[in-house]
Amino acid sequence: AQTVTQSQPEMSVQEAETVTLSCTYDTSESDYYLFWYKQPPSRQMILVIRQEAYKQQNATENRFSVNFQKAAKSFSLKISDSQLGDAAMYFCAYCTVQGAQKLVFGQGTRLTINP
Amino acid sequence: DAGITQSPRHKVTETGTPVTLRCHQTENHRYMYWYRQDPGHGLRLIHYSYGVKDTDKGEVSDGYSVSRSKTEDFLLTLESATSSQTSVYFCAISGTGTYEQYFGPGTRLTVT
């Protein structure tokens, strides 16, 4: 079974600076998807970015980018120019392409932005 | 935003009572999922559905049952609620071949 590990329960960063959240996963599959979700205090789960395992190029979405290292099974999220609205829990998730497209989540990292 | 709603949004119930949570989508997506969120555990899959009347167990299915009689509705039932089922419950939907899941607003359930 696949597992996802986020080793940083909490992180903090100064506003306007850059922060990187770590995620590692374990799988024997060669094709899969990886995601980062954001959960602000409102509790809503918001998709931040996705990465397809067969693509070499790292995904980017505005100030959010990933560093995908397939051989190392690592998938970190970089947030540039941090803003107060980025404060949230961030979850890394793995999705198999087999069957019912189930997600496996990491435990989450709570990100605090210091003004 | 994906058209997905959950009801109720908050519920307090007593141990031993039955509880049903409803998830409704307007996206006509094939896949629907129920998760629970607890501190230190992230989100864990309870049950999922891959079509009308087609459901299967997830990682933490004990004490829960589900039903899907229409594409748009996915019900989660706690037959006899226990305090260990106090949690926040999320429904999610996904289209075939798109892989990302879109989440409802969540239901906070407290079992006293």
Side-chain angles (χ1 to χ4, degrees):
Chain A
Q2 294 83 18
T3 59
V4 177
T5 302
Q6 294 179 248
S7 59
Q8 306 154 314
E10 297 183 352
M11 294 278 287
S12 63
V13 64
Q14 291 297 125
E15 191 176 4
E17 297 197 341
T18 296
V19 63
T20 298
L21 308 184
S22 301
C23 173
T24 59
Y25 58 95
D26 188 25
T27 184
S28 59
E29 299 176 335
S30 59
D31 194 15
Y32 47 86
Y33 286 75
L34 295 164
F35 303 96
W36 279 97
Y37 282 87
K38 169 185 177 180
Q39 186 181 41
S42 67
R43 202 167 69 196
Q44 181 68 51
M45 293 287 288
I46 301 166
L47 177 65
V48 175
I49 199 164
R50 81 175 214 171
Q51 175 76 43
E52 299 164 70
Y54 66 86
K55 287 191 175 180
Q56 301 279 357
Q57 188 172 5
N58 289 324
T60 63
E61 287 287 343
N62 300 313
R63 297 183 295 108
F64 298 87
S65 62
V66 298
N67 183 5
F68 173 49
Q69 302 289 329
K70 190 173 184 179
K73 297 179 182 175
S74 171
F75 182 61
S76 61
L77 175 70
K78 186 171 81 171
I79 306 173
S80 303
D81 186 25
S82 298
Q83 300 176 0
L84 295 178
D86 296 332
M89 283 288 289
Y90 285 83
F91 293 96
C92 177
Y94 172 102
C95 182
T96 176
V97 300
Q98 308 296 326
Q101 307 175 175
K102 295 181 286 184
L103 288 181
V104 176
F105 285 87
Q107 304 92 325
T109 297
R110 182 174 300 282
L111 178 64
T112 301
I113 311 296
N114 299 313
Chain B
D1 291 344
I4 177 168
T5 57
Q6 292 182 230
S7 58
R9 295 291 312 279
H10 302 272
K11 186 170 183 66
V12 179
T13 193
E14 293 184 349
T15 298
T17 59
V19 176
T20 296
L21 308 183
R22 179 178 183 245
C23 177
H24 179 77
Q25 62 147 328
T26 59
E27 304 296 322
N28 200 36
H29 281 346
R30 176 183 180 186
Y31 298 103
M32 298 185 76
Y33 311 83
W34 277 108
Y35 295 89
R36 60 177 290 172
Q37 182 179 21
D38 304 290
H41 290 279
L43 278 76
R44 293 179 292 174
L45 183 64
I46 305 171
H47 280 280
Y48 62 97
S49 170
Y50 46 96
V52 174
K53 293 185 169 45
D54 292 324
T55 65
D56 205 348
K57 296 179 180 180
E59 177 187 358
V60 290
S61 59
D62 287 349
Y64 302 95
S65 63
V66 290
S67 66
R68 191 173 179 194
S69 59
K70 299 184 289 186
T71 298
E72 57 266 35
D73 290 327
F74 192 34
L75 304 181
L76 176 70
T77 297
L78 291 65
E79 300 290 347
S80 177
T82 67
S83 58
S84 65
Q85 293 176 313
T86 292
S87 188
V88 178
Y89 292 85
F90 285 95
C91 176
I93 62 175
S94 180
T96 303
T98 60
Y99 301 104
E100 58 259 36
Q101 294 183 14
Y102 296 96
F103 286 79
T107 294
R108 180 175 294 279
L109 175 67
T110 302
V111 184
T112 62

